[in-house]
Amino acid sequence: MAGSDDNLLRFPQSRVRGPGARRPVKVIGMTKLAETINPSGNGAMGHWCSRCKGVWFGCGGETECPACGNRHG
């Protein structure tokens, strides 16, 4: 089965660009906890902040935007 695309189920929506795809994503930064654990940022997870309209990076369980404190995505 390796190398055969005959049985591969493709999802067309995975290639659809979103409404904000024309402009680059605003990067807000990293949380203090994520910087303490790994300053290089490897393994940090991206989270969306609707207030800042950007992505911040932190540990998996973190929910608070480091810039504005928003906890609701």
Side-chain angles (χ1 to χ4, degrees), residues 10 12 16 18-19 23-24 30 43 45-46 50 68:
R10 300 199 185 275
V16 175
R23 53 188 183 269
M30 289 181 63
M45 298 180 72
S50 57
C68 71

Side-chain angles (χ1 to χ4, degrees), residues 1-43:
M1 182 120 169
S4 174
D5 286 341
D6 296 336
N7 296 324
L8 184 65
L9 180 60
R10 300 199 185 275
F11 292 91
Q13 67 273 21
S14 65
R15 299 248 178 201
V16 175
R17 295 176 63 138
R22 290 182 203 93
R23 53 188 183 269
V25 175
K26 178 181 173 184
V27 177
I28 299 168
M30 289 181 63
T31 63
K32 291 180 182 180
L33 178 63
E35 287 179 347
T36 302
I37 292 173
N38 193 350
S40 69
N42 291 338

Side-chain angles (χ1 to χ4, degrees), residues 45-69:
M45 298 180 72
H47 304 271
W48 176 255
C49 178
S50 57
R51 280 190 198 155
C52 297
K53 303 279 191 246
V55 176
W56 57 272
F57 296 92
C59 297
E62 290 187 283
T63 59
E64 187 172 316
C65 173
C68 71

